[in-house]
Amino acid sequence: MVEVALRLVEDSDLDALFEQMRDPESVRMAAFIARDPNDREAFDAHVAKLRSSPDIILRAVTGDGRFLGTVGSFVVEGDTEITYWIDSSSWGQGIASQAVALLLDLVEVRPLHARAASDNLGSLRVLQKAGFTIIGTENSYASARDAEIEETILRLG
């Protein structure tokens, strides 16, 4: 099994993260993404904002020392939510589950919330395995699919 760890996001991670966030299958599964995943300038500005915000936790996910994605938490309308993005070549290996568990050790706020496209069964499994329970659904516009889709809302604690 891959040994997963979290660390601060480094400048040297950004090229790989940009490529991960442009992967067509990853984009489709995430559904709720930047308007144009190919816009490097917008990506750089967004990540710089995330990395400098005192209200956001953003960590690089590594496996055996190799950059595999990111995990983090942020506040939306008073609710603390978690999010993650794992390179699609690492899906199905328990990387996301381990990364979320490590993040939950860092984020002391409860309740925590998470959201996933309702057809993203892998992410829903990761979140439920971490102790999140489904509290509802809502239809939202998903820019990656250019359509309204059902989003599942989950809570922990």
Side-chain angles (χ1 to χ4, degrees), residues 17-152:
L17 181 58
F18 180 67
E19 290 306 316
Q20 290 172 6
M21 297 183 104
R22 296 174 58 219
D23 172 66
E25 181 61 11
S26 298
V27 166
R28 191 186 78 69
M29 294 306 292
F32 303 94
I33 58 149
R35 279 198 180 96
D36 179 4
N38 296 308
D39 185 338
R40 181 61 190 249
E41 189 174 311
F43 167 84
D44 287 339
H46 179 69
V47 172
K49 180 180 163 188
L50 296 177
R51 290 172 72 189
S52 66
S53 173
D55 301 323
I56 294 173
I57 293 175
L58 179 65
R59 295 292 183 269
V61 176
T62 62
D64 296 335
R66 190 172 63 93
F67 178 79
L68 299 177
T70 59
V71 64
S73 71
F74 57 97
V75 177
V76 175
E77 297 177 6
D79 290 334
T80 302
E81 293 195 19
I82 71 160
T83 186
Y84 61 90
W85 194 288
I86 303 298
D87 187 295
S88 62
S89 68
S90 297
W91 291 356
Q93 299 175 34
I95 308 290
S97 293
Q98 291 179 68
V100 168
L102 291 169
L103 180 70
L104 295 179
D105 289 341
L106 287 177
V107 179
E108 297 177 358
V109 174
R110 298 293 186 271
L112 281 175
H113 295 85
R115 294 171 171 261
S118 294
D119 61 358
N120 187 340
L121 301 180
S123 279
L124 292 173
R125 255 191 319 276
V126 165
L127 294 165
Q128 289 176 306
K129 184 176 177 181
F132 284 82
T133 57
I134 295 172
I135 60 169
T137 61
E138 68 182 31
N139 288 332
S140 302
Y141 177 76
S143 56
R145 301 183 192 180
D146 193 24
E148 290 241 341
I149 67 166
E150 184 179 87
E151 183 176 31
T152 298

Side-chain angles (χ1 to χ4, degrees), residues 6-11 13 51 58-60:
L6 304 183
R7 63 166 169 74
L8 293 175
V9 173
E10 300 170 354
D11 291 345
D13 299 326
R51 290 172 72 189
L58 179 65
R59 295 292 183 269

